[in-house]
Amino acid sequence: MRKIFFDHISTTPVDERVLEAMLPYFREYYGNPSSHIHEQGQYALRAVDGAREKVAGLIGATPDEVIFTSGATESNNLAIKGVASAYAHRGKHIVVSEIEHFSVLNALMPLMNRGFEVTYVRVDETGLVDPDEVRRAIRDDTILVSVMHANAEIGTIEPVEEIGKLTRERGVLFHCDAAATGGKIPIDVNRMNVDLLTLSAHNMYGPKGVGALYVRDGVRVDPLLDGGFQEKGLRAGTENVPGIVGFGKAAEIAIDEMDADAERLRHLGKALWDGLARRVEHIHFTGHPEKRLPGHVSFWVEFAEGESLLIFLNLNGVMAASGSACSSNLKAKDEEELVASHVLKAIGVPSDICTGSITFSLGKWNTREEVDYVIDIMPGIVKRLWDISPAYADYIRQQSGGQKS
Ligand code: PMP
């Protein structure tokens, strides 16, 4: 059976060129960058610095503003907790959007136990943050605003440039979680006026277990880990040299290929959206129709449970995500959460008729033929679920003027 991977928002396959770049750093160049008195250490140090230049180049930063981490979760924790600790003397108020990833929302919990206050800015029904709401939420004791670049679950791209402008005016630091957009759409830390920005390698055809936090020159961040003085003292521990080299290569490739890939993905995403809209009844698309990640199509279908749709898709060789991939474990633990994720709730999806959303996220190697295949199988899958749905049976009975059972 053919296999179609439409779950690039949870992770991406490693580009062959990235893997090739990494392999020598497992085999021949195994040195520790901190031990650079000898040749092996010097190779490693040079490789890490080379990768730092490339990652900086991807976002318009200078290399010494890039701190390598273990991934977006760590970068978000470092940004939120590190800034909170370093600026607590100035104020203890933080503003975030209500649709941030759990690595932002949950990083705030221990801070609240230590007396910090958090304002959650609402989003509209397309998932957009209104910069004026952010403006209104900022107080004299606000030290940080954190708004993501794009939401993985619904694909909406936030007006970060405008938010950056107003945080700059108010003298408040601005962190942006760009895990879902890094290497996929252009990022310029200066145009966006961000002070801290999170990146993840495995979301841009690089390896898992490596990410970065951009920290604007002059911004203070206290480290999370106690240990050595790697990464300007912000991230103790021997660097993941092959991972960082892979991240650098992924950034280099993205700089060259991102625009063309994004254009192709925009077309494929539109074809998928239009095809599903034409062929699947009772479908509701989520997120903003235009301001969205290229190749990202998210929706829910009345009377069709999200998890069941995914299982049937998988039986047909199609791999997709239900809402945010990162919250599906939580869903399994908590039946309540099966109904709607915090993101779906925030955009006002009615939890009585929506039982889970689907996110199709396409990547650079998906084809038009795959899109057409998915459009073709979806109506049949939905019908099978409707056939066993008591709610759908009730709906049909009501439509035909019959009595509800
Ligand atoms: N932020 C966003 C916006 C995400 O989509 C994700 C998940 N890919 C993360 C943070 C966390 O990334 P990771 O699990 O790779 O640390």
Side-chain angles (χ1 to χ4, degrees):
M1 197 203 326
R2 67 196 295 169
K3 299 287 179 196
I4 298 179
F5 191 72
F6 272 10
D7 189 17
H8 291 83
I9 199 71
S10 73
T11 197
T12 51
V14 173
D15 189 306
E16 198 62 35
R17 295 166 289 181
V18 168
L19 180 63
E20 284 301 320
M22 291 172 70
L23 287 175
Y25 292 90
F26 288 107
R27 291 188 178 125
E28 293 128 69
Y29 311 121
Y30 44 79
N32 181 332
S34 299
S35 188
H36 55 261
I37 193 79
H38 56 65
E39 198 178 280
Q40 271 295 348
Q42 286 158 15
Y43 285 137
L45 181 61
R46 233 175 284 141
V48 168
D49 283 345
R52 202 184 305 282
E53 274 179 34
K54 290 171 185 167
V55 172
L58 179 69
I59 58 172
T62 58
D64 62 351
E65 294 173 311
V66 172
I67 305 299
F68 287 116
T69 65
S70 66
T73 295
E74 184 186 335
S75 296
N76 283 343
N77 270 268
L78 180 57
I80 302 283
K81 294 174 183 166
V83 163
S85 163
Y87 290 86
H89 62 282
R90 261 207 214 160
K92 289 190 159 189
H93 181 239
I94 296 174
V95 177
V96 299
S97 89
E98 57 180 347
I99 60 166
E100 294 302 304
H101 187 262
F102 285 123
S103 53
V104 168
L105 295 178
N106 289 344
L108 293 164
M109 298 298 170
L111 296 179
M112 290 197 271
N113 292 336
R114 283 174 27 210
F116 280 82
E117 283 180 73
V118 177
T119 299
Y120 299 90
V121 174
R122 296 177 62 89
V123 294
D124 70 12
E125 68 287 355
T126 67
L128 275 182
V129 172
D130 176 356
D132 276 336
E133 290 265 334
V134 176
R135 189 193 308 275
R136 280 193 287 275
I138 293 175
R139 316 189 311 210
D140 288 343
D141 60 343
T142 306
I143 52 167
L144 178 70
V145 170
S146 182
V147 174
M148 66 199 332
H149 196 191
N151 184 280
E153 190 166 340
I154 57 173
T156 301
I157 297 174
E158 300 296 346
V160 286
E161 240 177 275
E162 288 168 55
I163 296 168
K165 217 175 281 165
L166 71 94
T167 51
R168 184 61 53 86
E169 277 163 23
R170 293 292 302 265
V172 173
L173 295 176
F174 180 32
H175 166 246
C176 178
D177 174 3
T181 52
K184 294 187 179 147
I185 56 174
I187 292 177
D188 182 324
V189 289
N190 293 317
R191 212 189 56 232
M192 285 159 65
N193 282 311
V194 293
D195 300 295
L196 304 115
L197 182 127
T198 290
L199 289 173
S200 158
H202 78 91
N203 287 100
M204 46 181 274
Y205 310 98
K208 292 168 185 60
V210 58
L213 181 67
Y214 158 77
V215 182
R216 185 175 290 281
D217 188 29
V219 170
R220 280 178 301 118
V221 175
D222 285 344
L224 298 177
L225 299 176
D226 299 312
F229 301 97
Q230 291 92 345
E231 300 297 303
K232 298 206 302 185
L234 288 185
R235 209 289 183 163
T238 300
E239 296 87 344
N240 169 5
V241 178
I244 290 170
V245 167
F247 191 8
K249 186 68 188 177
E252 180 188 313
I253 295 170
I255 292 169
D256 287 344
E257 301 180 2
M258 171 171 37
D259 289 348
D261 285 344
E263 189 55 25
R264 238 190 101 250
L265 285 172
R266 241 174 242 120
H267 277 104
L268 287 181
K270 185 174 180 336
L272 182 56
W273 180 303
D274 290 347
L276 293 174
R278 252 194 332 270
R279 301 275 308 274
V280 180
E281 273 184 274
H282 302 297
I283 190 168
H284 300 262
F285 292 95
T286 57
H288 197 281
E290 285 107 37
K291 294 174 187 163
R292 59 185 304 109
L293 279 170
H296 185 292
V297 178
S298 53
F299 59 90
W300 57 281
V301 182
E302 285 177 50
F303 317 111
E305 207 231 312
E307 301 278 333
S308 309
L309 272 174
L310 286 180
I311 291 166
F312 277 102
L313 281 166
N314 188 46
L315 288 173
N316 285 275
V318 180
M319 290 161 265
S322 96
S324 163
C326 318
S327 62
S328 34
N329 289 343
L330 185 142
K331 284 178 185 173
K333 272 191 274 166
D334 183 350
E335 281 295 305
E336 269 284 287
E337 291 293 329
L338 250 171
V339 178
S341 73
H342 70 291
V343 179
L344 295 183
K345 278 183 195 154
I347 60 172
V349 168
S351 59
D352 50 339
I353 49 171
C354 168
T355 47
S357 71
I358 302 289
T359 296
F360 286 139
S361 46
L362 279 56
K364 65 198 292 178
W365 294 294
N366 287 128
T367 63
R368 176 62 199 248
E369 199 201 346
E370 291 174 327
V371 166
D372 290 340
Y373 174 76
V374 172
I375 295 170
D376 272 347
I377 63 168
M378 273 295 288
I381 291 176
V382 167
K383 183 171 181 319
R384 284 184 70 173
L385 293 178
W386 284 349
D387 284 347
I388 54 168
S389 158
Y392 185 70
D394 275 350
Y395 165 77
I396 292 297
R397 226 170 284 133
Q398 278 170 33
Q399 289 299 103
S400 56
Q403 288 297 303
K404 192 173 189 282
S405 57

